[in-house]
Amino acid sequence: MRTEFYIAKRLSSRKEGAKAGIMERIATIATALSLAVVIITLSVVVGFKRDLERLISQAVADVVVTAPQSRGVVSGVGLERYEPLEALFRGNEVGHFSPFTTKEGVLKNDDNIVGVLLKGVDTLYNRDFYERNMVEGSFPRLGLEPRSKDILLSERVARRMDVEVGDRIEMLFVDNEGGVLRDRFQISGIYKTGVDFLDESYAFTDMRNVARLYDGDNNVVTGYELWLGEGVDKIAFRDAINVELLELYFDAGFEAEAYNIEDIFSHIFGWLATHDVTAAAIVVIMLVVALLNMATALLIIVLERERMIGQLRAMGMRRRGVVEVFLFRALFIIARGVAWGAAIGVVLAAIQHTWRILPLPAEGYLLDAVPTAMCWGWWLVAVVGSVVSILLFMLLPAAATARISPAETMRYE
């Protein structure tokens, strides 16, 4: 065992004077709280991204192909159902695909009026997400002859319209010439996802009901939704399919473009990016608090041990050795603080991850509870980064021992 490490260990195991003992406890607590806050912050930020991306991908598919003017959502410019295009979607990477048609409209009754996006789908549509989030009733019947006039509304829209399952409701649309089109539907079901922009906007029906609003042409759709196979890289797939769509444009003049959820909901992921900035600021602030408290504690310990430093120097220990004694001493304090902080942060994150105790208003945050992720990789980086950065910063107060003169400290012996 090195002499410097042995001395630091003995000093840490002994009862210290009042000042050093208090400062050590403060430094340990500050380090523990700072690291706990960092761990929880990373857990919440990563959890927000994972949960929101999972919800959105379940609701709108992994990749959407539309006309470039639509950018994956809605546009007056549609796509003709084209066999070479659909052949591109039948590869191994695509689990299945479904065409859809959308049209903005207004729900209207005697007392209320609400704007929604009516989305027409067919029997290929993956409706598992909405069926899991069904409050009452069922998903619209699809593919019947004659076609059904069922419509699925969100609980929020149904409450604003003061309607329930089984009621009939009128919807108004504006055609390309500025005229008003009317249609009537029967409410087959009510859903609630907890995701604000979905519950505010989307209504579902048979795709032929929406095609009727575009002169009844069932061969023209707004686009295609593609659900990818397990483990497929969504961004790489989007880029690859766009290369093939570009070749299709040059060969046949067919114009379409693929988008993933980040492209379609860029405002949401931009909002999430601001949380990265907030998280970075919190991490920096907590690290600065830990650094300052550790530096203050170590400086007081050095001042309390001036006489011991003089004795060590008089017995032949080099300045570097004295500095190492106090760096080891700082490392013991850091280790205790990091151990407690990591334990507290991981336990609190695990409790919220399992039982979702802390709620959130879905209207402002899109999710109904504070999300936390068990991001062990990020936590390891936080722990190692905290230990290394604090220990490096401790070189400054530890270096103060090199300025202490043995003659000055032993003058009054």
Side-chain angles (χ1 to χ4, degrees), residues 298-323 325-326 396-411 413:
L298 190 59
L299 188 58
I300 290 177
I301 293 171
V302 168
L303 294 175
E304 286 287 311
R305 290 294 177 177
E306 278 188 304
R307 184 166 296 175
M308 186 200 73
I309 294 169
Q311 291 172 345
L312 291 174
R313 295 281 289 113
M315 288 187 293
M317 181 175 283
R318 295 185 176 184
R319 290 174 176 169
R320 178 178 177 180
V322 176
V323 171
V325 168
F326 287 93
L396 296 177
T401 60
R403 298 178 175 273
I404 297 176
S405 169
E408 290 292 330
T409 59
M410 301 175 67
R411 175 180 298 177
E413 283 286 346

Side-chain angles (χ1 to χ4, degrees), residues 76-385:
V77 179
L79 297 177
E80 288 192 21
R81 301 195 66 167
Y82 187 51
E83 178 55 33
L85 174 66
E86 296 187 1
L88 296 178
F89 306 151
R90 296 193 179 100
N92 294 329
E93 292 184 319
V94 180
H96 69 280
F97 67 92
S98 169
F100 69 95
T101 307
T102 55
K103 180 74 173 177
E104 303 102 327
V106 174
L107 294 167
K108 177 184 176 297
N109 59 21
D110 293 338
D111 301 315
N112 304 288
I113 184 168
V114 176
V116 296
L117 179 66
L118 183 62
K119 183 173 182 177
V121 296
D122 65 6
T123 54
L124 297 175
Y125 183 70
N126 184 358
R127 51 194 179 187
D128 293 344
F129 173 74
Y130 288 96
E131 289 182 340
R132 286 197 306 270
N133 290 280
M134 198 73 65
V135 174
E136 185 181 359
S138 61
F139 202 86
R141 295 166 295 171
L142 306 174
L144 298 180
E145 290 294 346
R147 70 179 187 274
S148 76
K149 300 301 293 291
D150 293 349
I151 190 171
L152 176 69
L153 301 179
S154 73
E155 184 183 54
R156 189 175 304 175
V157 171
R159 189 167 57 246
R160 289 169 62 184
M161 294 298 299
D162 192 23
V163 293
E164 57 186 22
V165 171
D167 290 350
R168 298 186 65 82
I169 192 166
E170 185 179 34
M171 197 164 183
L172 307 180
F173 306 90
V174 178
D175 62 20
N176 294 333
E177 285 75 33
V180 176
L181 302 176
R182 298 174 181 268
D183 205 348
R184 293 184 66 83
F185 299 91
Q186 184 171 17
I187 301 171
S188 67
I190 295 174
Y191 72 89
K192 179 183 178 182
T193 66
V195 181
D196 188 46
F197 73 91
L198 293 177
D199 292 347
E200 282 281 354
S201 305
Y202 282 82
F204 295 85
T205 189
D206 190 302
M207 190 168 67
R208 292 170 296 176
N209 292 327
V210 185
R212 173 182 168 275
L213 304 170
Y214 293 101
D215 299 325
D217 190 352
N218 292 319
N219 289 321
V220 176
V221 297
T222 300
Y224 293 86
E225 291 182 308
L226 282 62
W227 287 267
L228 305 183
E230 189 71 27
V232 177
D233 188 323
K234 299 174 186 177
I235 295 178
F237 178 85
R238 178 204 62 187
D239 295 340
I241 202 74
N242 274 329
V243 171
E244 297 190 56
L245 290 173
L246 186 61
E247 293 178 359
L248 193 62
Y249 172 73
F250 287 129
D251 292 341
F254 191 90
E255 191 174 11
E257 190 167 351
Y259 304 91
N260 62 5
I261 57 175
E262 287 86 354
D263 301 325
I264 299 171
F265 302 105
S266 57
H267 60 292
I268 294 177
F269 287 91
W271 173 71
L272 285 177
T274 63
H275 286 68
D276 293 341
V277 177
T278 304
I282 293 174
V283 169
V284 170
I285 291 171
M286 291 297 101
L287 189 58
V288 168
V289 170
L291 290 174
L292 293 178
N293 279 280
M294 279 297 304
T296 303
L298 190 59
L299 188 58
I300 290 177
I301 293 171
V302 168
L303 294 175
E304 286 287 311
R305 290 294 177 177
E306 278 188 304
R307 184 166 296 175
M308 186 200 73
I309 294 169
Q311 291 172 345
L312 291 174
R313 295 281 289 113
M315 288 187 293
M317 181 175 283
R318 295 185 176 184
R319 290 174 176 169
R320 178 178 177 180
V322 176
V323 171
E324 289 180 358
V325 168
F326 287 93
L327 284 178
F328 282 127
R329 185 74 186 281
L331 182 60
F332 294 145
I333 299 174
I334 295 169
R336 285 195 295 270
V338 166
W340 279 106
I344 293 170
V346 171
V347 168
L348 291 178
I351 290 173
Q352 178 64 18
H353 181 75
T354 304
W355 289 288
R356 301 175 71 84
I357 296 172
L358 298 177
L360 276 178
E363 291 79 4
Y365 293 93
L366 305 180
L367 301 173
D368 56 5
V370 176
T372 53
M374 305 302 287
C375 46
W376 299 101
W378 283 109
W379 290 345
L380 180 61
V381 171
V383 170
V384 173

Side-chain angles (χ1 to χ4, degrees), residues 21-78:
I22 292 173
M23 289 309 301
E24 283 186 33
R25 287 193 290 271
I26 291 175
T28 302
I29 293 171
T31 302
L33 291 178
S34 297
L35 185 59
V37 171
V38 168
I39 286 176
I40 293 172
T41 300
L42 292 174
S43 179
V44 170
V45 170
V46 174
F48 250 117
K49 288 187 173 182
R50 289 181 181 177
D51 285 11
L52 198 55
E53 182 176 352
R54 175 181 55 82
L55 276 173
I56 296 175
S57 63
Q58 289 175 345
V60 298
D62 299 312
V63 174
V64 178
V65 176
T66 64
Q69 297 89 334
S70 176
R71 292 199 61 82
V73 185
V74 62
S75 172
V77 179

Side-chain angles (χ1 to χ4, degrees), residues 11-24:
L11 290 174
S12 295
S13 63
R14 292 176 54 187
K15 290 185 178 180
E16 301 296 327
K19 291 184 179 178
I22 292 173
M23 289 309 301
E24 283 186 33

